Amino acid sequence: MKVLHNITAGNPRQLLKPVLYSLLSNLAAVFPFALIIEAVRLIFEPYISPGMVLQTERLWWICGGLAATAVLMFLSEIPAYRSAYRGAYNVAAQGRAELAEHLRKLPLGYLTRRDPGDLANMIMGDFTLVETGISHLLPQLAGAFVLPLFALSGMLMLDFRMALAMFAALPFALLMMILSSRLRRRLGASHMRAKLNAANRLQEYLNGIRVMKAYNLTGQRFVRLEHSFKTLMKESIRLEGIFGPVILTAMGLLRAGLPLMVYIGVHLLLGGELGVLQFAVFLVVGTRIYDPLTNALANYAEFRYNEQAGGRIVDLLNEPFMTGESAPLPQNGDITFRNVTFGYGGEPVLKDLSIVLPQGSLTAIVGPSGSGKSTVLRLISRFYDPNEGHITLGGRKLSEIEPEHLLKAVSVVFQDVYLFQDTIGNNIAFGRPEASHEEIRRAAETARCHDFIMKLPMGYDTPVGEGGSTLSGGEKQRISIARAILKDAPLVLLDEATASLDPQNEAEIQQAIDALIQGRTVVVIAHRLKTVRGADNIIVLEEGRLAEQGRHEALLASEGLYARLWKLQQQSGGFRISS
Ligand SMILES: Nc1ncnc2c1ncn2[C@@H]1O[C@H](COP(=O)(O)OP(=O)(O)OP(=O)(O)O)[C@@H](O)[C@H]1O
């Protein structure tokens, strides 16, 4: 059952129709077979039994019957074909969407551990293998046994010794395939790994082409890509090289049934224990019976390989995502960290952190690079849950709030703004797709991006390259602030850009941020003097611990880490406070 579950990526019911049709069409194929046996009998009879005449009329009827079954088979195979492909493509289309949706809900920690190329390949490549499994492999595998089973039961009635000789090697061939399936799984798994690695290296190569050109690294990166292709080639050869002979031996074993049967048949014939007619029937059946079985053996190997791909999909779908309640969020929106310890899998990044970020206030988080500032924002957004301690919003534990429900109340403005390959207008409306043009325009005006948008060839309908590649860093920042303004969430998490901006851009972004944070609870990773000075509270982190906190003047007066960072940056003429 698990195999069927895997090969269909968790939709075994989808196999029902294709398998049923395949069984029916193979069942229909038994009729012409039976008609041919009857024709052989009619043709041979006058020669074997003197006095009997050739029954021509019956032969014409058989001819007509063969033509009719050919037409019937053709007509029944069309819906069979259609249902198999439709079922398979449906499973793949729905499954791909379901998997993509599932990925969105998984904790970021899981996603950062997985290679994006690996996940992309799973959604596209593995589902293609599932498609083939549903449309081709399993129906054919099930159908392949219909004719041999009928033949076996018919032949057993005719002469059990000949029938046994005909199928003598079948159990050995099947056993061989089943025993070797573990080896097949192992080889298949490392082949799949090599395939994924090559896909990942290719993606890395394509993504990094710009950097590689700039640093003249092309040769070095290409070596890695080339190496992955060579490994894939070796794995493919190993897979075919080891498993191919197993299949060929199993096929050879099966076909050995025919000479064995002829050998026994001749002896029985000479001994007078088998009639010429019966022998002729066995010869006809013997030449036809092995093809579906040998095809099934070849299919079986592919089937096991594709089943592994389906298994990977099922495993990913079983990966638990964060859950929680969707009850209305508390009115009082204070965010409290109580003895929070958190790490990304290794050493803790935040250690026993206890802080309060009061509702309606502006809290700045500062500290040296790597001290855990962005991690604090990620925990508030519930991209991850703490390892120890807990975070509450208005007294309710974040770990008990459904992540998507929580994020409705949060606007996040990241440093590295990602824009989708869509129009500028739609990118701004991302957090509130139902917003009107007028609302989008107003948000853009407040975020100081309306003017530059209007200078673009198609205004708000101008398409943006993937990731926002067609816009400047400052423009992307302001678009993301417009997004947050339009979303109008009560809690704003802001990771200010560290990249140096020209004074004009800098001033405009500051104005946009001022507009965004009005009347909201704001947590900002502050790199800008102005934000830090005006903050209600400044939290200073050092190696994941709270070093000190307070307002700007008080922290300067206490001459701790904040004052040291401040002086350092004043001396260097910069205004960044985080590093
Ligand atoms: N996804 C991740 N997986 C593993 N480690 C991570 C991950 N993200 C951050 N870290 C590590 O956690 C530590 C804190 O990172 P964080 O981004 O919170 O620091 P930060 O204070 O915001 O730094 P910066 O000012 O340079 O942005 C760093 O040592 C970083 O290497």
Side-chain angles (χ1 to χ4, degrees):
M1 258 336 262
K2 185 159 182 265
V3 172
L4 297 186
H5 195 74
N6 285 350
I7 191 76
T8 55
N11 295 280
R13 278 166 158 264
Q14 291 292 342
L15 278 174
L16 211 67
K17 266 192 184 175
V19 167
L20 206 70
Y21 274 122
S22 169
L23 290 178
L24 284 177
S25 95
N26 278 282
L27 209 60
V30 175
F31 284 107
F33 199 62
L35 289 175
I36 285 180
I37 291 173
E38 177 61 4
V40 169
R41 194 184 68 77
L42 290 175
I43 293 166
F44 275 84
E45 222 168 28
Y47 299 100
I48 298 164
S49 317
M52 286 201 76
V53 285
L54 185 66
Q55 300 184 49
T56 333
E57 198 182 331
R58 289 190 76 174
L59 277 174
W60 292 137
W61 274 109
I62 287 175
C63 194
L66 280 172
T69 42
V71 173
L72 271 177
M73 277 174 72
F74 171 71
L75 291 178
S76 69
E77 270 163 9
I78 291 175
Y81 191 75
R82 276 222 317 245
S83 96
Y85 280 90
R86 282 205 181 146
Y89 290 135
N90 253 330
V91 166
Q94 281 174 15
R96 282 184 175 122
E98 193 188 332
L99 194 61
E101 176 67 2
H102 188 80
L103 284 177
R104 192 175 59 79
K105 290 181 179 167
L106 285 176
L108 272 187
Y110 177 82
L111 295 181
T112 41
R113 280 200 306 277
R114 298 287 302 245
D115 211 314
D118 180 6
L119 296 171
N121 187 66
M122 199 182 281
I123 294 183
M124 295 314 296
D126 285 359
F127 266 110
T128 306
L129 298 181
V130 166
E131 269 170 15
T132 325
I134 298 175
S135 62
H136 263 80
L137 300 177
L138 206 93
Q140 283 176 10
L141 209 59
F145 290 91
V146 174
L147 189 61
L149 274 177
F150 268 88
L152 176 64
S153 47
M155 296 303 104
L156 275 174
M157 282 192 276
L158 208 58
D159 188 295
F160 77 97
R161 295 159 298 187
M162 290 290 279
L164 289 182
M166 185 185 256
F167 289 98
L170 181 60
F172 298 105
L174 289 180
L175 194 70
M176 200 168 161
M177 291 304 291
I178 289 166
L179 289 180
S180 62
S181 72
R182 189 171 288 188
L183 172 69
R184 166 86 219 180
R185 274 188 85 79
R186 231 188 21 244
L187 293 177
S190 67
H191 178 259
M192 207 167 260
R193 267 199 304 279
K195 202 164 77 170
L196 288 176
N197 186 44
N200 289 336
R201 294 286 76 80
L202 181 63
Q203 184 157 357
E204 175 192 59
Y205 184 77
L206 295 176
N207 287 346
I209 274 182
R210 212 182 306 181
V211 183
M212 283 189 278
K213 273 183 192 291
Y215 289 88
N216 205 18
L217 285 174
T218 320
Q220 196 189 339
R221 286 285 153 155
F222 186 71
V223 169
R224 283 177 58 163
L225 180 65
E226 200 184 18
H227 182 257
S228 71
F229 286 155
K230 279 197 178 139
T231 312
L232 176 59
M233 177 194 73
K234 279 186 203 148
E235 286 295 335
S236 304
I237 292 175
R238 205 158 75 103
L239 183 70
E240 297 299 337
I242 295 179
F243 206 67
V246 176
I247 300 175
L248 292 177
T249 314
M251 286 178 171
L253 258 177
L254 257 182
R255 292 195 186 112
L258 188 61
L260 179 69
M261 182 195 80
V262 174
Y263 177 78
I264 292 179
V266 171
H267 275 285
L268 292 175
L269 192 69
L270 291 177
E273 293 181 47
L274 185 74
V276 174
L277 193 58
Q278 286 164 311
F279 196 17
V281 169
F282 270 105
L283 287 176
V284 171
V285 175
T287 48
R288 289 282 313 275
I289 208 68
Y290 297 111
D291 285 350
L293 288 175
T294 48
N295 285 345
L297 288 181
N299 264 352
Y300 179 75
E302 204 181 334
F303 166 74
R304 296 300 296 203
Y305 183 78
N306 292 18
E307 182 237 325
Q308 268 170 299
R312 279 160 38 86
I313 295 173
V314 171
D315 286 348
L316 184 55
L317 284 173
N318 286 338
E319 199 62 46
F321 47 73
M322 289 171 154
T323 51
E325 288 172 14
S326 303
L329 295 174
Q331 288 297 311
N332 161 25
D334 290 357
I335 300 164
T336 310
F337 278 56
R338 269 191 225 291
N339 308 103
V340 169
T341 296
F342 171 77
Y344 291 96
E347 286 287 296
V349 170
L350 296 181
K351 296 155 199 156
D352 198 25
L353 186 66
S354 294
I355 48 175
V356 180
L357 317 164
Q359 179 181 20
S361 71
L362 194 161
T363 307
I365 303 179
V366 301
S369 181
S371 56
K373 303 179 294 290
S374 305
T375 306
V376 168
L377 293 202
R378 287 176 202 136
L379 290 184
I380 297 175
S381 316
R382 218 193 149 196
F383 290 168
Y384 303 87
D385 283 333
N387 304 123
E388 285 169 38
H390 53 258
I391 305 167
T392 56
L393 172 68
R396 223 166 109 195
K397 282 187 188 167
L398 286 194
S399 56
E400 290 169 2
I401 303 175
E402 207 272 317
E404 290 191 11
H405 185 63
L406 171 71
L407 284 174
K408 281 190 193 137
V410 183
S411 282
V412 191
V413 180
F414 293 111
Q415 261 190 52
D416 43 346
V417 180
Y418 188 87
L419 299 185
F420 291 90
Q421 207 167 7
D422 202 335
T423 63
I424 292 220
N426 285 345
N427 263 294
I428 295 176
F430 181 66
R432 193 147 72 84
E434 74 286 357
S436 67
H437 287 302
E438 183 51 30
E439 287 173 312
I440 295 173
R441 196 179 57 82
R442 247 184 287 134
E445 273 173 357
T446 319
R448 304 289 184 277
C449 36
H450 176 70
D451 289 348
F452 91 77
I453 294 175
M454 289 318 284
K455 285 188 194 137
L456 295 171
M458 292 160 74
Y460 284 85
D461 294 327
T462 309
V464 185
E466 196 204 335
S469 55
T470 49
L471 297 176
S472 78
E475 287 166 347
K476 282 196 281 185
Q477 273 285 327
R478 277 178 279 155
I479 297 255
S480 78
I481 294 171
R483 248 184 204 171
I485 290 174
L486 187 66
K487 187 174 177 188
D488 197 21
L491 175 59
V492 173
L493 306 180
L494 185 64
D495 192 354
E496 286 186 333
T498 48
S500 306
L501 295 162
D502 62 82
Q504 167 76 17
N505 237 327
E506 159 75 12
E508 283 190 308
I509 288 186
Q510 192 59 59
Q511 284 169 357
I513 289 177
D514 288 346
L516 168 66
I517 62 183
Q518 283 304 317
R520 299 175 211 269
T521 308
V522 183
V523 186
V524 54
I525 296 179
H527 305 285
R528 265 168 255 277
L529 179 65
K530 201 172 167 205
T531 326
V532 180
R533 280 193 133 164
D536 299 308
N537 189 27
I538 300 168
I539 287 174
V540 187
L541 293 182
E542 186 176 23
E543 293 181 6
R545 290 185 195 279
L546 177 66
E548 51 188 343
Q549 62 175 318
R551 289 186 71 97
H552 174 72
E553 293 76 17
L555 286 173
L556 278 188
S558 70
E559 299 198 349
L561 174 62
Y562 179 81
R564 280 206 304 283
L565 287 171
W566 181 263
K567 272 189 208 130
L568 216 62
Q569 282 170 10
Q570 294 294 91
Q571 281 162 10
S572 68
F575 49 78
R576 286 166 54 194
I577 196 80
S578 67
S579 52

